[in-house]
C-alpha cells in the first residue's frame, strides 16, 4: 500500500540525546492523523523532519511516494504550521497570504481573499498581524499553511490559544477540507479530547519512540470501555444477553458481568432482564476516553 | 524556486530600506548637476574618479546590511519555516539568498555607475571642449618654454584619456565582482552561524577592509613580506591592477585583467558552493 506519508525507522539525535528513535508512521490519503505524546516526546521533531525543517540522523521517510532525498516539486504539496505561526507582523493577513501565494506560484488575486475568509479574519481588515490576538495569529498561521491547497497539511498544536468557538471553527474547517478536498492532515495536540473528535488514525509517541499506531476505530475498541452489570442471577443473565445480541462479555468471580460492546444499549439490557425475570441490581456504563487510554499506555510504557 | 524568488523580490521591492540607497544616489546626482560650474570641472572630475570605486564600499555595506536584515526578519518571524516546508531543502533558500543579494548588489552598482561615470563623461567632454586648446595646443612650438617635450597630439591625448577611462571602468567592474564575492561570503557566514548580529559586524569589518588589514599586518609580522598574500586579497589585489603600482616600498608590474577575473570568479564559486553545502548539512531551523 502506498502511503501519502511514511516514515521508516526515523531517528534524530542531538548530541547524545535521542529525540526520535526508529519511528515508523504510516499516513494514508485522506487521514486526519493525530500525533499524540507528552511535551518533549518527539512530536515536533518528527513533524520538523517530514517538513524539511530538520535533518534526520537515520532512517528515512517518503511523501507522496517520493523519498526524502528526491522530493523535488512534491514539497510544494505540503503545508505546515509548526511551533509558532510564521508571518510578517508589519503586514495584514491578506498581504501575508499574498506573499505565501507568491511563494506557491499562485497569481489569482482572489485566492488570498478566499483564505482570509476561510480562516475567519475578514473583520481584522488592514490591522497589522503583529497586533493580532494569539488566536488570530494562530488562524493566520493555519491560513498560510493552507495556501496553495496542499494535499498534506502538518499542524503542530493548531488550537493553541484559541477560544472554544475558535477551536470549533478550526475543527470544522479541518473536517470540511478533509471531506471536500480530501486533504490529509497530520496534527499534534495535547488536547486529546479535541483531537479524538476528528482524528481517523493515531500515532502515540513517548520518549522518542512510537508506542502505538492504530486507526481511530481500533483505538476506541482498545479503550477499556465497558458496561458493568450486576444481577441476582448471573447464569440466567448471560442467556438474556446472548439472546439480545451480545457476545463480548466476561463474568467475574463476584458474579459481575463486564460487557465490552454496544455501550449505548443499557436500556435494552435492563428491559430484557426485567422481561426474563432477572433483577438488575446495578448497571453502570464506564467509558474510557482516548485520553485515559493514552495515559494508561504511556504510564505502562514509562514503567 | 521561481515562486520563492518572486516572493523574495516582491518583499524586497516593498521594503523602504531597499529604495533608500538608489534614492540617495539620484538625489546626490541631481545636487551635483545643479552645483557644478565650469571652474570646478577639474576638481569635480578628480572627485568623481576617486568616488567611482570608493562608493562601492558604501554599496557593499548598505547591500550587506539590507540583505542580512531581510533574512533575519524571515527567521525571526518564523517565515523561514513556511518557505522550507515548500521547497526540497534549505539549500534552495541559500541559492535564492545568493541570487537576490547578487541582484541587489548589481542593481546598486548600476546606480553607482550612473552616478560616477555618466556624470564623469558629461563633465569630461565639457572640460575637453573648454580647456583642450590651452592644455594641448596644435603644435609643440606653442607649449610653454621647457615643456615642449611634454607635448602630445590631440589624437594621442584623446586616446590616452579614453584608455584611462576604460581602465577606470574595468576597475569599477572588478570592484562589482568583489562586491558579489563579499555578498557570497556574507551568505556563507550567515548560513554558518545563523546570527544576524555576527553577520552585521562581519559586513562592516569586511567591507571596510578591517579584516584584510588585519591579515596583512599579521602576514607582515610573521614573514616580513606581504606580496604573496596581498595580491590575493579582495581589496588589496587592486594595488596590482594598475600598470605599475607601488606595494610597500617596491614597484610592482600590473597583473593582466584576466588574472583578477579568474581569481574572483573562483572565490565566488567556492564561497557560494560552501554556503549551499553547509545549508545542506545543518538543520534548517
Amino acid at each position: 500500500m502506498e502511503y501519502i506519508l511514511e516514515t521508516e525507522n526515523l531517528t534524530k539525535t542531538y548530541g547524545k540525546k535521542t529525540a526520535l528513535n526508529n519511528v515508523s508512521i504510516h499516513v494514508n490519503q485522506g487521514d486526519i492523523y493525530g500525533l499524540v505524546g507528552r511535551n518533549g516526546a518527539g512530536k515536533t521533531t518528527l513533524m520538523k523532519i517530514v517538513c524539511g525543517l530538520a535533518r534526520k540522523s537515520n532512517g528515512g521517510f517518503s511523501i507522496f511516494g517520493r523519498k526524502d532525498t528526491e522530493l523535488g516539486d512534491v514539497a510544494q504539496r505540503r503545508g505546515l504550521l509548526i511551533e509558532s505561526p510564521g508571518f510578517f507582523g508589519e503586514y495584514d493577513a491578506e498581504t501575508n497570504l499574498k506573499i505565501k501565494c507568491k511563494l506557491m506560484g499562485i497569481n489569482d488575486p482572489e485566492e488570498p481573499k478566499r483564505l482570509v475568509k476561510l480562516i475567519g479574519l475578514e473583520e481584522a481588515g488592514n490591522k497589522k498581524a503583529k497586533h493580532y490576538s494569539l488566536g488570530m495569529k494562530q488562524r493566520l498561521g493555519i491560513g498560510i499553511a493552507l495556501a496553495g491547497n496542499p494535499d498534506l497539511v502538518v499542524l503542530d498544536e493548531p488550537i493553541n490559544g484559541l477560544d472554544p468557538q475558535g477551536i470549533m471553527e478550526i475543527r470544522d474547517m479541518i473536517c470540511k477540507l478533509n471531506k471536500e478536498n480530501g486533504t490529509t492532515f497530520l496534527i499534534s495536540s495535547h488536547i486529546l479530547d479535541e483531537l479524538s473528535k476528528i482524528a481517523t488514525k493515531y500515532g502515540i509517541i513517548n520518549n522518542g519512540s512510537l508506542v502505538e499506531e492504530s486507526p481511530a476505530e481500533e483505538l476506541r475498541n482498545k479503550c477499556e470501555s465497558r458496561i458493568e452489570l450486576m444481577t441476582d442471577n448471573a447464569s440466567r443473565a448471560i442467556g438474556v444477553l446472548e439472546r439480545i445480541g451480545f457476545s463480548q462479555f466476561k463474568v467475574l468471580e463476584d458474579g459481575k458481568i463486564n460487557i465490552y460492546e454496544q455501550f449505548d444499549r443499557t436500556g435494552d439490557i435492563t428491559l430484557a432482564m426485567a422481561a426474563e425475570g432477572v433483577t438488575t441490581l446495578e448497571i453502570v456504563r464506564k467509558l474510557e476516553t482516548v485520553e485515559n487510554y493514552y495515559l494508561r499506555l504511556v504510564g505502562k510504557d514509562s514503567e | 524556486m521561481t515562486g520563492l524568488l518572486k516572493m523574495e523580490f516582491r518583499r524586497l521591492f516593498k521594503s523602504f530600506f531597499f529604495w533608500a540607497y538608489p534614492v540617495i544616489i539620484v538625489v546626490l546626482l541631481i545636487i551635483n548637476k545643479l552645483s557644478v560650474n565650469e571652474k570646478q570641472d577639474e576638481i569635480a572630475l578628480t572627485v568623481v574618479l576617486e568616488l567611482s570605486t570608493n562608493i562601492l564600499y558604501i554599496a557593499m555595506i548598505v547591500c550587506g546590511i539590507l540583505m542580512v536584515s531581510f533574512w533575519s526578519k524571515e527567521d525571526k518571524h518564523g517565515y523561514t519555516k513556511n518557505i522550507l516546508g515548500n521547497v526540497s531543502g534549505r539549500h534552495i533558500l541559500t541559492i535564492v539568498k545568493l541570487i537576490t543579494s547578487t541582484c541587489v548588489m548589481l542593481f546598486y552598482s548600476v546606480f553607482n555607475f550612473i552616478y560616477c561615470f555618466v556624470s564623469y563623461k558629461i563633465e569630461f567632454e565639457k572640460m575637453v571642449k573648454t580647456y583642450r586648446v590651452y592644455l594641448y595646443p596644435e603644435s609643440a612650438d606653442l607649449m610653454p618654454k621647457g615643456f615642449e617635450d611634454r607635448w602630445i597630439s590631440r589624437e594621442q591625448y584623446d586616446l590616452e584619456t579614453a584608455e584611462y577611462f576604460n581602465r577606470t571602468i574595468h576597475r569599477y567592474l572588478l570592484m562589482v565582482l568583489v562586491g558579489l564575492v563579499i555578498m557570497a561570503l556574507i551568505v556563507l557566514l550567515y548560513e554558518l552561524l545563523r546570527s544576524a548580529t555576527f553577520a552585521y559586524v562581519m559586513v562592516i569589518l569586511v567591507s571596510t577592509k578591517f579584516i584584510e588589514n588585519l591579515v596583512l599586518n599579521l602576514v607582515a609580522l610573521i614573514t616580513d613580506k606581504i606580496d604573496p598574500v596581498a595580491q590575493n586579497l579582495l581589496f588589496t589585489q587592486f594595488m596590482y591592477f594598475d600598470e605599475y603600482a607601488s606595494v610597500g616600498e617596491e614597484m610592482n608590474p600590473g597583473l593582466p585583467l584576466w588574472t583578477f577575473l579568474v581569481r574572483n570568479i573562483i572565490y565566488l564559486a567556492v564561497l557560494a558552493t560552501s554556503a549551499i553545502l553547509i545549508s545542506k548539512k545543518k538543520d534548517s531551523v
Side-chain angles (χ1 to χ4, degrees), chain B residues 175-236:
Chain B
M175 191 72 173
V176 173
L177 186 57
V178 169
L180 301 185
V181 173
I182 287 181
M183 287 306 117
L185 176 67
I186 299 302
V187 174
L188 171 67
L189 293 173
Y190 190 81
E191 285 302 319
L192 206 62
L193 291 174
R194 307 254 171 90
S195 159
T197 317
F198 174 75
Y200 285 133
V201 171
M202 287 312 287
V203 165
I204 293 164
L205 292 186
V206 172
S207 304
T208 51
K209 298 192 265 186
F210 184 89
I211 301 281
E212 277 202 17
N213 287 337
L214 190 74
V215 172
L216 282 174
N217 282 326
L218 279 173
V219 170
L221 195 72
I222 299 163
T223 65
D224 219 21
K225 271 184 183 174
I226 59 163
D227 262 25
V229 181
Q231 65 182 16
N232 292 307
L233 293 179
L234 289 177
F235 297 112
T236 324

Side-chain angles (χ1 to χ4, degrees), chain A residues 213-259:
Chain A
E213 184 183 49
S214 50
E217 193 60 41
E218 203 179 297
L219 195 76
R220 271 194 285 274
N221 290 338
K222 280 180 185 170
C223 293
E224 287 188 358
S225 299
R226 62 192 181 273
I227 298 169
E228 289 179 1
L229 174 68
M230 191 71 180
T231 61
D232 61 346
N233 191 329
S235 53
R236 281 184 63 199
I238 291 166
V240 176
L241 285 174
E242 282 173 345
R243 236 183 344 270
I244 60 171
F246 286 90
S247 59
Q248 291 178 34
F249 54 80
K250 198 166 138 187
V251 184
L252 306 179
E253 281 180 12
D254 58 354
K256 191 191 272 182
I257 304 168
N258 280 352
I259 306 162

Side-chain angles (χ1 to χ4, degrees), chain A residues 169-192:
Chain A
E169 284 170 11
I170 295 296
R171 193 174 63 210
D172 292 347
M173 187 176 77
I174 291 170
C175 289
K176 193 179 162 203
L177 286 167
N178 178 253
K179 282 200 180 83
E180 290 178 4
N181 301 355
T183 311
T184 307
F185 287 88
L186 174 63
I187 305 175
S188 78
S189 178
H190 60 271
I191 308 171
L192 281 180

Side-chain angles (χ1 to χ4, degrees), chain B residues 5 23-24 41 54 123 125 157 175 186 234 253 266 279 283:
Chain B
L5 271 170
V23 167
I24 290 170
D41 276 354
N54 288 341
E123 293 306 318
E125 273 163 16
Y157 173 78
M175 191 72 173
I186 299 302
L234 289 177
I266 290 172
S279 62
D283 275 346

Side-chain angles (χ1 to χ4, degrees), chain B residues 9-28:
Chain B
F9 279 117
R10 184 194 156 91
R11 277 192 55 226
L12 265 173
F13 295 153
K14 274 177 84 89
S15 152
F16 165 78
F17 191 26
F18 173 75
W19 295 106
Y21 186 75
V23 167
I24 290 170
I25 292 290
V26 170
V27 170
L28 271 176

